Amino acid sequence: MKRDSNLRLIEKIQRLKKERKAIILAHNYQIGEVQDVADYLGDSLGLSRQAAKTNAEVIVFCGVHFMAETAAILCPDKIVLMPDIDAGCPMADMIDRERLKVLKRKHPKATVVSYVNTPAEVKAESDICCTSANAVKLIKSLKSQEIIFTPDKYLAHYVATKTDKRIIPWDGFCPSHVRILSGDIARRKKEHPTAEVIVHPECTPEVIKLSDRALSTEGMCKYAKEGSVLEIIVGTEIGLLHRLRKENPGKKFYSASELAICPSMKLTTLEKILWSLEDMKEQITVPEEIRVKAKRAIDKMLEIS
Ligand code: 13P
Ligand code: SF4
């Protein structure tokens, strides 16, 4: 029954997508059926790249607000739609422009590197953006020895272990990734002794320490596909398991913790994608003055990575 109604919805979405000259971009944490309807599925870096190069006139962004905003910053001539406007990122909400300005005044020589999980206004106050896929490489490439890193203190800590720069972290974190505890990893390792452990760098340092690798979500997909390991414990938001299992039917994947759920990533549904294309809502826009400054920081990231 549900399968039939989903098929009808997918058909309508495909038809309307053509009419509107639209493309559907989805993040790896979206629910399975949304992942399956996407033209492109990926991590924050891949999604930014796709947004930057698409010829489509409309981008339906299935992810969280900062991701759709990044697309709007990169493509001012396109219509960027979010099927559920309430899909925010709590980590991105832990920082604001005014408080960043205060920190910048305290460290006038520091280069400001902001994770893409930030509001446009914060990107506009930053020298360069990064994602979890390129943070280490990008920070190593900077001339400055002193780096203000916002907003994720755990990604900042991870980067600090990989470079010799002085990192000044913002006090933010991802409420979904901190649900993964070192005890969860230890338990899973006991249950699956031959499995490898891969975790997202938004996890706590204790969890990263127990892992074999810290990777972005796209990095995890690549590693699972290309590596020879047959069993993998996955320390990130559980939505990624859908893609990992679909792409690697012969391999086994275990979530490090069933509690690692990002509620915002689960708000987008097939129905909402259809309504969004029907009504051309909700459109994401960024005031031009902020957009231009924020674009500079994102473009620098895309150039280096
Ligand atoms: P990725 O860029 O690795 O997909 O991560 C985005 C994110 O929000 C992780 O919580
Ligand atoms: Fe934000 Fe965490 Fe959700 Fe990623 S998983 S969108 S960082 S709250």
Side-chain angles (χ1 to χ4, degrees):
M1 199 67 179
K2 170 129 170 31
R3 212 182 106 90
D4 286 351
S5 72
N6 273 0
L7 285 176
R8 277 195 297 276
L9 274 171
I10 292 166
E11 219 174 89
K12 283 185 189 167
I13 290 170
Q14 301 296 7
R15 203 175 328 123
L16 204 49
K17 203 179 73 176
K18 252 193 206 147
E19 264 174 48
R20 301 276 197 221
K21 297 192 174 64
I23 186 175
I24 301 176
L25 304 184
H27 186 264
N28 289 321
Y29 295 158
Q30 291 289 293
I31 60 170
E33 50 211 45
V34 170
Q35 293 192 22
D36 295 344
V37 86
D39 297 295
Y40 177 83
L41 179 64
D43 67 355
S44 310
L45 181 61
L47 291 166
S48 304
R49 284 195 180 127
Q50 287 297 319
K53 74 175 192 200
T54 183
N55 293 323
E57 290 175 13
V58 176
I59 299 173
V60 182
F61 213 111
C62 307
V64 289
H65 193 268
F66 77 82
M67 296 177 177
E69 206 177 48
T70 301
I73 291 166
L74 290 169
C75 317
D77 52 337
K78 302 194 190 314
I79 295 173
V80 179
L81 301 175
M82 260 188 98
D84 192 319
I85 192 73
D86 292 328
C89 167
M91 182 206 281
D93 295 339
M94 290 177 191
I95 184 161
D96 60 75
R97 178 171 56 176
E98 291 317 309
R99 286 188 299 147
L100 177 57
K101 277 185 177 171
V102 174
L103 187 64
K104 279 171 72 171
R105 278 199 288 273
K106 270 196 208 159
H107 305 279
K109 287 197 188 123
T111 297
V112 181
V113 180
S114 284
Y115 196 21
V116 282
N117 302 37
T118 43
E121 289 190 353
V122 168
K123 290 185 176 76
E125 273 304 315
S126 306
D127 296 302
I128 185 162
C129 287
C130 75
T131 73
S132 59
N134 58 22
V136 173
K137 178 181 172 192
L138 203 138
I139 285 174
K140 278 185 179 165
S141 78
L142 297 173
K143 280 199 193 104
S144 167
Q145 270 305 109
E146 200 179 32
I147 310 286
I148 291 177
F149 190 94
T150 87
D152 185 2
K153 62 180 170 188
Y154 295 128
L155 181 58
H157 182 276
Y158 174 70
V159 168
T161 64
K162 301 278 172 194
T163 71
D164 57 359
K165 310 269 180 186
R166 186 167 106 77
I167 310 276
I168 302 152
W170 192 266
D171 190 20
F173 63 92
C174 165
S176 308
H177 281 85
V178 297
R179 296 302 297 266
I180 304 170
L181 306 177
S182 49
D184 296 325
I185 304 286
R187 197 171 330 114
R188 284 283 191 261
K189 273 180 153 181
K190 225 177 188 174
E191 288 165 2
H192 310 287
T194 57
E196 268 205 14
V197 182
I198 57 176
V199 302
H200 197 277
E202 285 176 17
C203 289
T204 63
E206 297 76 42
V207 165
I208 294 180
K209 217 171 169 183
L210 291 178
S211 72
D212 296 296
R213 277 176 177 73
L215 297 163
S216 77
T217 57
E218 199 61 32
M220 289 181 177
C221 293
K222 193 166 183 281
Y223 181 74
K225 214 178 204 174
E226 294 171 5
S228 53
V229 199
L230 294 177
E231 285 186 273
I232 303 182
I233 296 163
V234 184
T236 193
E237 210 276 346
I238 58 166
L240 187 70
L241 291 168
H242 174 79
R243 180 170 166 195
L244 289 172
R245 288 178 178 144
K246 193 174 162 187
E247 290 183 350
N248 306 279
K251 301 186 178 179
K252 287 200 169 117
F253 299 94
Y254 314 106
S255 69
S257 167
E258 298 295 338
L259 298 178
I261 298 175
C262 176
S264 291
M265 284 285 185
K266 308 303 175 211
L267 287 175
T268 306
T269 59
L270 289 179
E271 284 87 348
K272 289 180 192 171
I273 294 176
L274 179 64
W275 299 335
S276 141
L277 277 164
E278 280 173 350
D279 304 338
M280 293 298 276
K281 277 185 178 164
E282 297 283 338
Q283 295 195 15
I284 308 299
T285 53
V286 178
E288 190 58 11
E289 187 204 331
I290 292 167
R291 190 193 70 78
V292 171
K293 286 188 190 161
K295 186 170 183 296
R296 227 175 282 154
I298 300 170
D299 282 344
K300 273 193 207 156
M301 166 185 85
L302 293 175
E303 271 163 37
I304 293 178
S305 63

